[in-house]
Amino acid sequence: MSRTQGNNAATALEAGAILPASPAAIERAAAALRSGRLVVFPTETVYGLGGDATDPAAVAAIFAAKGRPSFNPLIAHLPDLEAASREAVFPALAVRLAERFWPGPLTLVLPRRADSRIALLCSAGLDSVALRVPAQPVARALLQAVGRPVAAPSANRSGRISPTRAEHAAEELGGAVALYLDDGPTAIGLESTVVSLVGPEPLLLRPGGLPLEEIEALAGPLGRLESSGSRAARLSPGLLASHYAPSKPLRLESTAVAPDEALLAFGPEVPAGAAATINLSPTGDTREAAAHLFEALRRLDAGPGRAIAAMAVPAEGLGLAIRDRLARAAAPRG
């Protein structure tokens, strides 16, 4: 076997390796995250599928690995309240909840700071961010080493059982992940409780590992998310459906564009004549398109043109999620 073949074989063996969570393994995982790769790591709730929350391409890779049917908001994990405060606006109640329950199994949905580093794709284009400071020592050490927010939904394929052991996550995700940090079974085994503080009253979006009674003892009674099923999943951990849509009308499956329309393009063949054009992926790569989607919509919405025309994206890979997001953005508004 040649040296090149040996190196390739070693790389293949290393991809998806399960490593005991030693300091050296944590540093290796942090380096992988900083380079845009995915890492599975333990929290006190379940094992998370981590990616750099500031890197749209890494966030898109999370969606691809999980096979998520739509771009649901993801929770960004941080090492402490100080780091979280750089990404979101903390009203007084949020500060009290964070000081009482962080680190721990509580996720807070808060207004996004204008200078937040978290990618729009991570929050599904919303003006809010979902933040958590985990209590698990390995998770905290990893977040300190990475030095940036880490998006981390549960480390399983979408719709499957959330993993409480590293080997469970590896069975689900295999080589889609650079490495798996193993620190044994998780302590709680249930996802975090999610509370939104972006509306007129605190709202429970998801019950979870922190008992509701403990939260309400400090915050008072919480409202409940009235929606259920897939619509609630799209909203959690965020806002109303109208907040997903640009202010301009959006026209789908466009093959031509009017001079007073902005164009959301895809692929190498783009019609001319638009008031403004942004191509999600000139090469037709749906993962690249996903990484740019929300930023492109915002830029086109703020730019010239009375409306936005969107070219078709194929219903494959992350194209399914892009099509779902655009269909909801173009839906009639009541």
Side-chain angles (χ1 to χ4, degrees):
M1 179 183 295
S2 69
R3 177 177 297 180
T4 299
Q5 289 173 324
N7 289 340
N8 289 340
T11 300
L13 288 172
E14 291 174 1
I18 300 176
L19 302 180
S22 65
I26 291 171
E27 284 297 330
R28 181 174 169 183
L33 288 168
R34 288 192 297 267
S35 70
R37 291 179 290 169
L38 304 184
V39 167
V40 166
F41 64 96
T43 76
E44 71 275 24
T45 58
V46 298
Y47 274 76
L49 173 60
D52 181 354
T54 71
D55 180 356
V59 177
I62 292 174
F63 284 108
K66 284 184 66 69
R68 268 177 118 92
S70 60
F71 292 134
N72 298 333
L74 303 180
I75 296 168
H77 295 66
L78 299 114
D80 50 43
L81 175 56
E82 181 181 358
S85 298
R86 292 194 286 268
E87 309 300 334
V89 177
F90 276 71
L93 178 57
V95 174
R96 294 201 303 273
L97 288 169
E99 289 178 343
R100 171 66 180 82
F101 298 115
W102 280 357
L106 173 66
T107 294
L108 295 177
V109 179
L110 301 165
R112 177 191 185 95
R113 286 179 58 95
D115 57 352
S116 172
R117 298 172 295 167
I118 295 173
L120 285 172
L121 183 59
C122 186
S123 53
L126 297 172
D127 290 323
S128 59
V129 289
L131 306 179
R132 183 164 94 86
V133 175
Q136 213 273 358
V138 171
R140 291 176 63 77
L142 177 64
L143 293 168
Q144 288 283 2
V146 173
R148 62 192 70 170
V150 173
S154 57
N156 55 282
R157 298 283 294 176
S158 184
R160 302 288 294 274
I161 298 171
S162 296
T164 57
R165 293 178 178 270
E167 58 266 32
H168 296 165
E171 290 170 2
E172 292 279 325
L173 301 171
V177 173
L179 63 90
Y180 298 77
L181 285 177
D182 185 4
D183 197 41
T186 60
I188 294 176
L190 185 68
E191 290 88 347
S192 64
T193 303
V194 181
V195 173
S196 172
L197 297 176
V198 296
E201 64 174 354
L203 182 66
L204 176 69
L205 296 183
R206 183 180 73 187
L210 180 64
L212 177 61
E213 294 81 1
E214 294 187 29
I215 300 171
E216 292 189 327
L218 187 153
L222 301 184
R224 303 293 193 274
L225 185 66
E226 295 179 0
S227 302
S228 62
S230 61
R231 182 171 181 271
R234 291 179 186 136
L235 296 178
S236 182
L239 305 171
L240 299 176
S242 61
H243 290 167
Y244 282 76
S247 60
K248 295 176 181 177
L250 179 63
R251 182 168 62 86
L252 303 179
E253 307 289 325
S254 302
T255 56
V257 61
D260 62 349
E261 290 182 315
L263 179 64
L264 186 68
F266 178 82
E269 298 181 7
V270 176
T277 298
I278 296 178
N279 196 330
L280 294 175
S281 175
T283 62
D285 183 331
T286 58
R287 185 178 294 189
E288 180 185 18
H292 296 154
L293 176 63
F294 292 108
E295 179 66 26
L297 280 174
R298 290 197 175 205
R299 287 173 56 193
L300 292 177
D301 200 32
R306 62 162 186 83
I308 301 171
M311 293 179 64
V313 175
E316 58 188 31
L318 290 185
L320 282 171
I322 295 170
R323 291 168 67 94
D324 171 81
R325 171 60 178 83
L326 291 175
R328 289 187 286 115
R333 305 167 201 176

